[in-house]
Amino acid sequence: MPSSVNVRAIFAISSSNMWAVGSTGSIWHDNGTTWSLEVDTGNEAWNDVACTTASDCWAVGNTGALAHYDGARWVVSAIPSSANVHAIQAISATDIWAVGASGSIWHNDGGSAWSLYTSTGSEQWNDVACTSSNECWAVGNAGAVATYDGVRWTRSTVPSSANINGMFALSSTDIW
């Protein structure tokens, strides 16, 4: 990948199958030896990428930008919102979460349509992580945290007003 690329996220399916997205509309692929430009979608600012399998990947970006990879090509569409989408977590092909600006948390159950699952207000959600279909967390600005229990998202905060930009959940009791 050229050094001039502003990479915002990388997702590794395996050591020979990785995807990277960035702020220039580019979606890159690594086959284990070489990064190559897979598609240039124009001016989209891609913020995150996640995959369930080698033939089911999603990228999200600003102003509701969405792209789906079906194993052959990337198709660009949009989440039904003009809000910036900051992160995506694909638990399975039928359980995908995305979070972003304006307190927005979207869900896709494997169909072509995305829906706004909930809005928690004015938070800016920066990342989402799940350990199962019944256990997810979203983190955001000013220490905001939201927890999903399989039915609803509940908002809380960590004991800090810092912006939380990323997280990773190894298990329900081991979250970074």
Side-chain angles (χ1 to χ4, degrees), residues 31-79:
N31 63 10
T33 30
T34 307
W35 283 97
S36 59
L37 178 63
E38 182 74 16
V39 65
D40 183 348
T41 62
N43 295 323
E44 286 86 8
W46 297 113
N47 295 322
D48 201 10
V49 60
C51 303
T52 61
T53 66
S55 60
D56 184 37
C57 297
W58 297 88
V60 292
N62 290 347
T63 62
L66 176 74
H68 181 247
Y69 180 72
D70 63 8
R73 65 188 178 103
W74 285 91
V75 176
V76 177
S77 61
I79 283 181

